[in-house]
Amino acid sequence: MGVRQSPDLLQQDMKIGQPHKVGIGTPQTGQPNHELEIESTTTEKPVVNIKNTNADANGPSPADNDSLGTISFYGQDSAGGVPLTQYVEVKGVSADVTDGVENGQVIFSVMKAGTLKEVARMNPESTTANHF
């Protein structure tokens, strides 16, 4: 899937393997070994960009403290049921969107006793760790 014309040959950009495996930049003859596999032979790659240009709950975008993106980690609990339990969350936030003085922060949250709790917040001025 997804071929592009290069000067010398057709090059495959993305490969969908079985079962449910996606490879980006994986060797043309190989199949992806994981659910998402990104491979590059170029210096300083691969890079994953998460971009959010949408207005959100804080009003017109851009606004201070807009959520830029979240990576969540889910797994089964001892009951093995559905829905899965969210155990970890990593969130990017635009703390200050003022032109020329923009600040970002990263918020780390983990599950404790059935509730997702913020355990660390990192920004240019400080790092806060919540011990529970």
Side-chain angles (χ1 to χ4, degrees):
M1 170 180 210
V3 292
R4 67 175 177 214
Q5 183 69 43
S6 104
D8 302 322
L9 56 106
L10 286 176
Q11 183 173 337
Q12 190 167 0
D13 290 323
M14 185 171 80
K15 190 179 301 182
I16 298 179
Q18 296 297 325
H20 312 291
K21 295 180 180 178
V22 176
I24 300 172
T26 54
Q28 208 159 2
T29 56
Q31 290 295 318
N33 295 314
H34 305 282
E35 286 75 15
L36 175 60
E37 188 169 309
I38 302 171
E39 183 175 325
S40 175
T41 58
T42 307
T43 305
E44 297 185 34
K45 289 192 177 182
V47 173
V48 176
N49 287 315
I50 299 174
K51 297 179 181 183
N52 182 348
T53 58
N54 186 30
D56 66 17
N58 293 324
S61 214
D64 289 353
N65 299 312
D66 273 353
S67 175
L68 301 174
T70 302
I71 300 172
S72 300
F73 297 84
Y74 290 84
Q76 289 187 326
D77 60 17
S78 61
V82 175
L84 296 175
T85 300
Q86 182 181 2
Y87 286 95
V88 178
E89 179 179 277
V90 181
K91 182 184 287 187
V93 176
S94 60
D96 185 346
V97 298
T98 306
D99 187 29
V101 294
E102 298 91 339
N103 289 323
Q105 63 184 348
V106 179
I107 301 170
F108 298 90
S109 300
V110 298
M111 181 66 69
K112 179 174 183 181
T115 302
L116 199 62
K117 297 192 179 253
E118 182 179 313
V119 295
R121 182 177 292 241
M122 300 169 68
N123 62 51
E125 285 80 38
S126 66
T127 298
T128 305
N130 300 323
H131 303 283
F132 54 89

